[in-house]
Structures are given as C-alpha cells and as structure tokens.
Amino acid sequence: NLGGILKDQGLIGEAIRCYDRALELAPGRGAIHSNLILALHYRAEDAPRIGPELHRWNERHARPLAPPNPSYPNPRMPDRPLRIGYLSHDFRRHSVAFFLLPLLEAHDRTQVHVTCYSCNPRSDDITARIRDAADRWQSLVGVPDEDASQLIRHDEIDVLVDLAGHTAGNRLPVVARRPAPVQIAYLGFPGPTGLDAIDCRLGDCHADP
C-alpha cells in the first residue's frame, strides 16, 4: 500500500523499493509482483528490469497453474460464430472501456458471439452500454480463479482477450490456467505480460511505435 501511495505521488524509485521489499516478505503474492512490474514502466532507467521480472512472474505465479495437456469442448465447425470473451476490471468509465466500446458495438453479430467477463462490482452508464453491446455478461466478482477458469472453458470461448495485463484488478491467474485455446492481450497494459499462456498481443503503430 505504501508503494502504491508513493507511485501515485510520482515517487517511482521509492515505490519500487517498497514493492521489492514487499515481494521479499511475500514472494507468492502475484498482485504485489504485478504492482512492481507496472511501476517499472514509469521510469526509463528501470526498463532493463521489466523483461526479467516478467519472466520471474511467469515462472513463479503462472506456469505452476498451466494444465499439462489442455483440451477444449469447442465444436470444430468453421461456419459457426466465433466465441470471443473479454476479461476486464474496467468495464466502466475508464480509458480501456472508451477504446473497447466502439469495437464491441461494431462487431458483426452474425460472425462473433461476445461474452464480457467483469471483475469489478462497480458499474455506471458505460457499463450499461458495454452490457448492451455484448451477447452475454458474466460477473467474476468473488469467483475463485479456478472456478472462473472452468466457467470460461464451459462457455466454449474460442478467443479470450485479457484487457488488464499487470494493472489493478487483473485476473492473470485465470488466464494462466488457459481456459481458452487462443488467448490474446489487448489495451490495458503497455507491453507484453510475459505469460506463456498468452499467445500474442494486439497492438498498432500508435500503441507500439
């Protein structure tokens, strides 16, 4: 918490020292490690640490959760709508939602079936528009990671899009369990997540010059 307060004040070096110390005391806390990784993006001199910390996060918090031989019930029929799941803590008045909403509203509903997996109990007018733009809305608030993963698998999602990365409220331990055969990172985090379970990152020349 002290690291977060210092980061919000722009005291990035002091914040990083707090996160490093917290991680020494609680090495199994993936959320602390994610806070450290995000803070490392705020100063150019800390950039060399990002890659090693991403690798360490994956080894420590994600790889142990990966199923050895994942299989999926998704029907292999090329003429059916593609089932896309969007996973986010930010389906509300937030920059992620402002970028995502036009995409959701423009989806060809004859070609894709959209499920939004919300990880935040808060809602507002933007939440309502996102719900209207989706075919299905599913709250994951209070749902344990393993149960959330099984729910997504049961929904036969073909492409799971993680919108948080290492930002607040992320559910990377759900993604690490690989509940969908294709998993993509998009929008919410300004770089790779480091997870083996994420196959690619969707970007453009503006976000990734």
Side-chain angles (χ1 to χ4, degrees):
N1 287 338
L2 178 58
I5 291 168
L6 291 166
K7 175 179 66 67
D8 290 347
Q9 291 179 323
L11 302 172
I12 305 302
E14 291 90 335
I16 288 172
R17 283 192 288 275
C18 282
Y19 290 141
D20 281 334
R21 178 59 179 150
L23 207 54
E24 288 177 10
L25 296 171
R29 294 282 295 275
I32 295 173
H33 206 165
S34 286
N35 287 339
L36 169 63
I37 289 169
L38 183 62
L40 292 174
H41 285 73
Y42 295 142
R43 291 198 315 180
E45 57 263 44
D46 298 312
R49 284 192 61 186
I50 294 173
E53 291 299 339
L54 290 173
H55 176 76
R56 192 172 295 115
W57 201 101
N58 182 62
E59 292 292 319
R60 181 179 294 172
H61 310 292
R63 189 165 285 176
L65 302 175
N69 297 294
S71 60
Y72 304 93
N74 309 32
R76 294 172 176 262
M77 296 157 39
D79 56 344
R80 67 173 175 82
L82 193 69
R83 300 181 71 86
I84 302 177
Y86 292 95
L87 176 66
S88 181
H89 186 264
D90 300 318
F91 294 136
R92 54 190 172 86
R93 284 196 163 270
H94 187 280
S95 54
V96 166
F98 297 147
F99 279 96
L100 181 69
L101 187 55
L103 173 63
L104 293 183
E105 293 178 336
H107 269 316
D108 182 346
R109 306 294 273 275
T110 68
Q111 298 296 313
V112 298
H113 179 282
V114 171
T115 300
C116 288
Y117 296 98
S118 175
C119 306
N120 193 330
R122 294 171 54 194
S123 63
D124 53 30
D125 59 315
I126 299 298
T127 309
R129 288 181 61 186
I130 291 173
R131 291 184 74 146
D132 289 344
D135 296 286
R136 183 164 175 268
W137 177 272
Q138 175 66 54
S139 173
L140 297 182
V141 176
V143 179
D145 293 334
E146 177 60 31
D147 294 346
S149 176
Q150 290 301 323
L151 189 153
I152 294 169
R153 185 182 300 272
H154 182 266
D155 288 342
E156 298 181 356
I157 297 298
D158 300 304
V159 181
L160 181 64
V161 184
D162 174 65
L163 298 170
H166 291 279
T167 62
N170 77 73
R171 298 299 296 270
L172 289 178
V174 173
V175 180
R177 289 169 164 84
R178 197 173 261 287
V182 176
Q183 302 194 144
I184 295 174
Y186 179 47
L187 269 183
F189 185 66
T193 62
L195 270 69
D196 293 336
I198 292 183
D199 302 297
C200 63
R201 177 169 180 264
L202 184 61
D204 59 30
C205 63
H206 303 289
D208 297 286

